[in-house]
């Protein structure tokens, strides 16, 4: 259990550092959301966190009830 907590804290700190260095205006939650969607894609971190990725996440996160 302690290991999972330390890993979560480490990821949180690393993402906060990356967000600050890249000068992102998005919140930490939004940044983590983008990274969770692009986790297994081979893209640069700066490219994944660009504004064009926001539209992609909005499209994929919608629940389609009727066709």
């Amino acid at each position: 259990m302690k290991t999972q907590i330390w890993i979560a804290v480490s990821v949180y700190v690393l993402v906060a550092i990356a967000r600050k260095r890249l000068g992102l205006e998005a919140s930490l939650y939004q940044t983590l959301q983008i990274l969770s969607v692009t986790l297994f894609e081979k893209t640069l971190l700066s490219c994944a966190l660009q504004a064009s990725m926001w539209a992609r996440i909005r499209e994929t996160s919608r629940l389609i009830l009727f066709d």
Side-chain angles (χ1 to χ4, degrees):
M1 185 71 172
K2 288 181 183 179
T3 305
Q4 291 175 337
I5 293 171
W6 280 111
I7 290 171
V9 169
S10 300
V11 167
Y12 185 86
V13 169
L14 287 172
V15 170
I17 291 170
R19 186 175 154 255
K20 180 140 180 128
R21 284 194 179 178
L22 292 173
L24 299 175
E25 295 179 7
S27 69
L28 193 60
Y29 174 75
Q30 291 171 332
T31 306
L32 287 168
Q33 204 173 19
I34 290 174
L35 292 175
S36 70
V37 170
T38 61
L39 185 64
F40 294 107
E41 294 179 12
K42 192 173 184 178
T43 58
L44 293 175
L45 185 60
S46 58
C47 293
L49 296 174
Q50 287 178 351
S52 61
M53 190 58 69
W54 295 104
R56 183 175 171 199
I57 288 177
R58 286 187 193 117
E59 289 174 5
T60 59
S61 65
R62 291 184 188 155
L63 179 63
I64 300 172
L65 297 175
F66 306 103
D67 285 333

